[in-house]
Amino acid sequence: MRILWQITGLAIGMGLSIATADEIWVSNEKDDTISVIDIDTLEVTRTIDVGERPRGITFAIDHSVLYLCASDSDTVQVIDPETGKILHELPSGEDPEQFVLHPDGKHLYIANEDDAITTVVDTDTRKVIAQIDVGIEPEGMAVSPDGKIAITTSETTNMAHWIDTGTQELFANTIVDQRPRHAEFTHDGSELWVSSEIGGTITVFDRENQQEKAKIEFEIQGIHPDRVQPVGFEMTRDGQHVFVALGPANHIAVVDPKTYEVTDYILVGRRVWHMAFNGDESLLFTTNGVSGDVTVIDVGSLEPIKSIKVGRFPWGAAYRPTN
C-alpha cells in the first residue's frame, strides 16, 4: 500500500495522471447507501453512507458533484465523488423522489411526491426559486435538450405536466395511462416519452403540439400482464434503441424508436427499476430492487453478461467518467 501511494505521489508530482476506471453509482433505497461500481472490473469498489431512502441520482454536467434525493430526509444531498463526503444539502420540499438537472447546469427540477408540487432549486445560491403546483404524487421529471420545457408526471392524476422554464408555469397537461413513473425527451427534443407502470404502456407525445403520437405496449410469453410494469427507460444516442425496465416482469424491453415496436426482451434481476449506460453506451447497467443487484447488459449483443451484488433495493443509477 505504501509503495502504491509513493508511485501515485511521484506521478502527481511529475504532472502525470493515474488511470482509473469509469464508474456507475447506484442508490440503495433500503440501505441508505450508494454502491460505486468499477466499469472495468464490474465490481463494487466503494459503499458510501448517505441520507434516508436515497432514490433519484444524477451528476453535475461536469461530474464535479453528485446530486442525490434523500427522500425520507426531505433533502437533496450534494456529494463530492472523489471523497464520498456530503458537501452540503439543498432545499427540496417534502419527499423528493426524482429530479432533473437543467442544461444550464444550475437549476434542479424536483418532484415532491407528498406535496403535489415541483420545486425548482438554484444549485449556486442553494435557494428555492419556484414551486409549481402539479398533480397528485408527482414522480417522473424530464427537461427538453434546449432547456425550454420541463415535465413532471403525477402518479395519481395520471398526467404529464408541461412547464415553461422561462416563466416556471404550466402551459399544458396531457393524460397518460395509469401511474406514470418516468419521462424522457428524445435526444433531438422532438418527442416526449412517458412510462405508465400500472397502465403497462409508454405514451409518445409530439413536443410541438403535446398530442399523442404512439402508444407502446408490452407482452412477454409466460408472464401475466399485471406484472409487466414499465418504469425507467434510456435511449441510445444513435437513435437505434430504447431500453425499458419492466419492473416485476424482471425483463428489459428493447424498443425501436422509429417504428415504436418492441424488438426484444432481456431477462435481468427481480423488479428492475432504472438503468444507466457507460460512456460509449456499449454496456447498460440495470438496478434490480428485489434481488438487490445490478445486471450488466452488452448493448451490441443485447445479452446480459454479469450480475453485480449491491445494497438492498437498488433504485437509481448514474454514470461517472473519471478521466
Side-chain angles (χ1 to χ4, degrees):
M1 181 63 71
R2 179 176 296 175
I3 292 173
L4 175 60
W5 279 112
Q6 287 174 344
I7 293 172
T8 303
L10 178 62
I12 293 171
M14 296 175 63
L16 302 176
S17 62
I18 298 295
T20 54
D22 293 350
E23 297 169 335
I24 298 293
W25 288 49
V26 175
S27 57
N28 298 309
E29 189 176 5
K30 295 285 179 148
D31 275 352
D32 301 339
T33 62
I34 290 172
S35 297
V36 181
I37 296 170
D38 181 305
I39 291 177
D40 282 353
T41 64
L42 300 182
E43 300 288 346
V44 173
T45 57
R46 286 191 283 168
T47 301
I48 300 168
D49 292 329
V50 294
E52 296 180 18
R53 201 180 182 193
R55 290 190 280 182
I57 182 170
T58 192
F59 282 95
I61 291 173
D62 63 1
H63 296 90
S64 59
V65 295
L66 177 80
Y67 298 107
L68 178 73
C69 282
S71 298
D72 285 357
S73 297
D74 295 331
T75 191
V76 170
Q77 295 182 322
V78 183
I79 297 170
D80 180 341
E82 294 294 334
T83 65
K85 290 181 61 175
I86 297 170
L87 300 173
H88 54 267
E89 296 184 338
L90 298 173
S92 66
E94 287 191 25
D95 194 19
E97 183 159 353
Q98 284 207 68
F99 50 20
V100 65
L101 184 62
H102 191 277
D104 65 10
K106 181 178 179 181
H107 295 108
L108 273 178
Y109 285 76
I110 306 166
N112 297 120
E113 188 170 24
D114 289 350
D115 282 352
I117 60 172
T118 295
T119 298
V120 188
V121 174
D122 186 313
T123 60
D124 289 341
T125 64
R126 306 180 195 174
K127 294 185 183 212
V128 173
I129 61 170
Q131 289 195 305
I132 305 157
D133 290 330
V134 291
I136 299 170
E137 287 191 284
E139 173 163 338
M141 293 296 314
V143 65
S144 59
D146 62 8
K148 293 182 178 179
I149 301 172
I151 300 293
T152 303
T153 66
S154 53
E155 296 179 43
T156 300
T157 310
N158 299 329
M159 281 185 174
H161 308 282
W162 301 65
I163 300 167
D164 183 322
T165 60
T167 63
Q168 308 297 5
E169 294 179 349
L170 292 178
F171 68 89
N173 298 290
T174 49
I175 297 289
V176 294
D177 288 334
Q178 192 174 357
R179 198 173 174 84
R181 297 303 295 261
H182 190 72
E184 293 279 350
F185 282 92
T186 52
H187 291 295
D188 65 4
S190 65
E191 294 179 347
L192 173 73
W193 291 41
V194 179
S195 66
S196 297
E197 181 183 14
I198 303 303
T201 62
I202 285 183
T203 306
V204 181
F205 293 97
D206 187 297
R207 176 241 178 91
E208 290 304 315
N209 57 25
Q210 299 87 55
Q211 296 299 306
E212 182 179 315
K213 288 181 66 175
K215 185 92 71 178
I216 303 167
E217 299 180 340
F218 307 92
E219 182 178 354
I220 305 174
Q221 186 174 1
I223 295 179
H224 193 279
D226 287 350
R227 295 184 62 80
V228 180
Q229 300 175 10
V231 190
F233 56 90
E234 291 288 337
M235 304 174 176
T236 57
R237 290 188 294 266
D238 63 10
Q240 296 300 306
H241 301 300
V242 181
F243 293 91
V244 184
L246 296 179
N250 305 334
H251 281 75
I252 295 285
V254 185
V255 177
D256 183 332
K258 301 179 190 69
T259 64
Y260 310 115
E261 296 292 328
V262 179
T263 60
D264 206 348
Y265 293 99
I266 305 168
L267 180 64
V268 293
R270 296 172 61 201
R271 204 219 67 173
V272 56
W273 212 243
H274 286 286
M275 65 196 83
F277 290 112
N278 66 338
D280 65 5
E281 296 187 345
S282 60
L283 298 175
L284 181 67
F285 296 76
T286 75
T287 58
N288 312 316
V290 172
S291 52
D293 56 20
V294 167
T295 301
V296 186
I297 296 170
D298 182 288
V299 173
S301 65
L302 300 180
E303 294 288 339
I305 59 174
K306 185 169 182 178
S307 176
I308 305 169
K309 197 68 180 173
V310 289
R312 291 183 301 158
F313 278 71
W315 196 95
Y319 164 72
R320 178 189 177 231
T322 56
N323 294 305

